[in-house]
Amino acid sequence: MLKQGVLAAIILASVSSAQAESGGYSYPVGLDENGDNFLALRSRPTTQEGVRLRKLAPGTLFGVIGRQGAWYNVRLLDGESGWVYGRYVGCCARGPQEPAPAVAQTTQIVVQSGEAETARLRGQVAQLTALVRANQEKQERREREAAAAARPAPEAERPFADEDALAGLSARFEQATANRASYLTPTRPDDQDLGRTARAASEQFPKVPYYIPGTRESGRFWIEPRVGDTGRLSYDLVFVDPRAGVDQKRAVIDLTPEQLDRMKLAVGKISSWSDIAHRNEVRRHYRKRVDCFPEAACPRDGDKIDGQSSTEIVFFVNEDGSTGGRIQRNKGRYDEGYNVSVKSARLLASYLGYVQSRGERDYAAGTRTAADLDVMFR
């Protein structure tokens, strides 16, 4: 059993590591779908100087890192930064934290790498230390119970695996510390790149709620990227009912990459149409289809088609002036709908775009051949 002094030394050496900060994500709002329908990313906080770097489509996520007057300095998920006009910026969706851009100077990179390795090792030390202490407390409790019963204490199970793992991890921790004290760079490779799959990333995005009109029932969306047996990428739009006792998947819509893109644009249009309704003080019951697919199976508005199924996105205005959207699944003469608020529609558009990007990246990585890599590493 390891001595308490060793545990104390390891824990004390682990206290000084920095913590990562996680911020909120912003996104374009108030765009004109009948016009350019994009937010310009510029090199300077003005339209009179500099150049336009990119066109940010609805659903694009970015972090705000500064402000000058009515302009925001922002950084995109891919690391590119620039200036956008603040009037068209919505906030704030908390998303999965992306790694910060690499520091240019070599010594800073080495220090950051060392701190990251220290933090990772410290976390593992803390977990194993807690496990060892729990086993020690369990053994002590057994001994006390045996003494109270006036009989020999049963031999407690010694946590060989836990203590051995802690000893090995302690040795690695000490070696890493000694290595950084002797050399500027690590002796062995320490650039492991263990990322997350698109499916895991899709579960980390802020939850987007929906509600069933005319009831008290509600739930959340989950978009699951997957590759079928034929090797094709697709997405499952899952309507999750977290209060269900058996099956929490209330409904699932299978989307092709093209259909996912259409849904993202249609859901984003709900936000811009809401702005139009409020600017014009529309206060009457109004409903309009934004998009429907596949077209051949879509009924005319208000009609039904036996034996056909389709998905449509609908914008609506209520008599009190409130607005929202609806994702409706047409199943022959039966339809079921899931309504969202305008703010949820904005977040859903960002969620669709995020999962679409991660799914495409995973699919590209999984379908690369040796010839593709040869071209990459010329």
Side-chain angles (χ1 to χ4, degrees):
M1 187 176 300
L2 291 182
K3 295 182 179 180
Q4 296 295 332
V6 176
L7 293 173
I10 295 173
I11 296 171
L12 182 62
S14 303
V15 171
S16 61
S17 176
Q19 295 180 346
E21 294 182 344
S22 60
Y25 283 108
S26 297
Y27 42 83
V29 297
L31 304 181
D32 183 4
E33 78 283 359
N34 296 320
D36 294 333
N37 200 30
F38 69 83
L39 176 61
L41 181 71
R42 301 191 62 82
S43 61
R44 300 289 300 277
T46 175
T47 57
Q48 307 301 319
E49 300 178 8
V51 297
R52 185 176 68 198
L53 302 176
R54 285 174 65 172
K55 297 180 179 179
L56 306 184
T60 303
L61 290 179
F62 50 79
V64 176
I65 58 177
R67 181 174 182 177
Q68 182 173 325
W71 292 79
Y72 289 155
N73 188 204
V74 304
R75 177 177 291 120
L76 305 183
L77 296 183
D78 60 8
E80 184 175 5
S81 60
W83 296 85
V84 296
Y85 193 55
R87 174 183 174 186
Y88 301 104
V89 175
C91 190
C92 292
R94 292 190 61 81
Q97 181 177 347
E98 295 291 340
V103 181
Q105 299 179 359
T106 303
T107 55
Q108 291 178 335
I109 294 175
V110 172
V111 171
Q112 291 177 352
S113 175
E115 290 178 349
E117 175 67 10
T118 300
R120 187 178 67 82
L121 289 174
R122 185 192 325 105
Q124 295 182 14
V125 168
Q127 292 177 0
L128 288 171
T129 298
L131 189 57
V132 169
R133 286 177 175 171
N135 279 280
Q136 290 173 341
E137 292 174 358
K138 183 178 180 181
Q139 177 180 345
E140 291 172 358
R141 185 170 60 253
R142 287 179 176 176
E143 292 174 350
R144 288 195 301 268
E145 293 174 352
R151 56 184 175 81
E155 182 178 357
E157 297 180 0
R158 179 174 181 267
F160 289 103
D162 298 333
E163 294 193 355
D164 291 344
L166 182 57
L169 189 59
S170 301
R172 290 177 55 197
F173 184 85
E174 294 172 0
Q175 177 61 38
T177 303
N179 182 78
R180 288 195 296 276
S182 303
Y183 307 103
L184 186 61
T185 58
T187 305
R188 300 179 183 276
D190 67 344
D191 58 344
Q192 296 88 348
D193 186 15
L194 301 178
R196 290 181 302 174
T197 63
R199 187 181 190 276
S202 71
E203 296 177 320
Q204 301 301 315
F205 200 89
K207 296 178 175 59
V208 185
Y210 68 81
Y211 69 94
I212 308 298
T215 74
R216 297 181 180 273
E217 300 174 31
S218 62
R220 64 179 178 87
F221 295 100
W222 175 37
I223 307 164
E224 179 183 12
R226 60 182 178 83
V227 177
D229 293 338
T230 60
R232 293 185 179 277
L233 174 65
S234 63
Y235 301 86
D236 282 345
L237 176 59
V238 183
F239 298 85
V240 180
D241 182 0
R243 293 176 297 182
V246 180
D247 186 2
Q248 293 192 344
K249 289 187 176 182
R250 183 172 193 139
V252 180
I253 300 178
D254 185 16
L255 300 172
T256 66
E258 296 76 15
Q259 291 172 342
L260 179 72
D261 194 55
R262 288 178 61 171
M263 177 171 286
K264 178 184 67 175
L265 296 176
V267 171
K269 188 174 288 188
I270 291 173
S271 174
S272 57
W273 282 8
S274 174
D275 292 338
I276 294 173
H278 288 304
R279 284 200 304 268
N280 292 276
E281 300 182 353
V282 179
R283 298 187 186 92
R284 55 173 290 186
H285 181 70
Y286 176 74
R287 166 193 169 107
K288 183 174 181 179
R289 176 185 291 173
V290 184
D291 197 2
C292 182
F293 50 80
E295 287 86 350
C298 289
R300 291 181 299 178
D301 203 7
D303 290 348
K304 308 287 185 179
I305 302 179
D306 287 329
Q308 297 289 338
S309 63
S310 61
T311 302
E312 64 178 282
I313 296 87
V314 179
F315 168 76
F316 63 82
V317 183
N318 295 319
E319 292 181 348
D320 62 357
S322 61
T323 59
R326 175 183 177 90
I327 298 177
Q328 179 170 303
R329 186 64 174 167
N330 300 315
K331 302 178 178 180
R333 304 190 63 82
Y334 178 80
D335 62 69
E336 58 186 14
Y338 305 87
N339 289 17
V340 294
S341 66
V342 172
K343 291 182 179 178
S344 293
R346 292 171 184 163
L347 187 58
L348 179 58
S350 297
Y351 184 29
L352 290 164
Y354 174 74
V355 177
Q356 179 185 40
S357 174
R358 294 301 300 255
E360 291 173 350
R361 285 165 51 185
D362 263 21
Y363 187 73
T367 55
R368 289 194 189 107
T369 64
D372 295 329
L373 295 178
D374 288 340
V375 174
M376 186 182 301
F377 298 106
R378 285 184 299 185

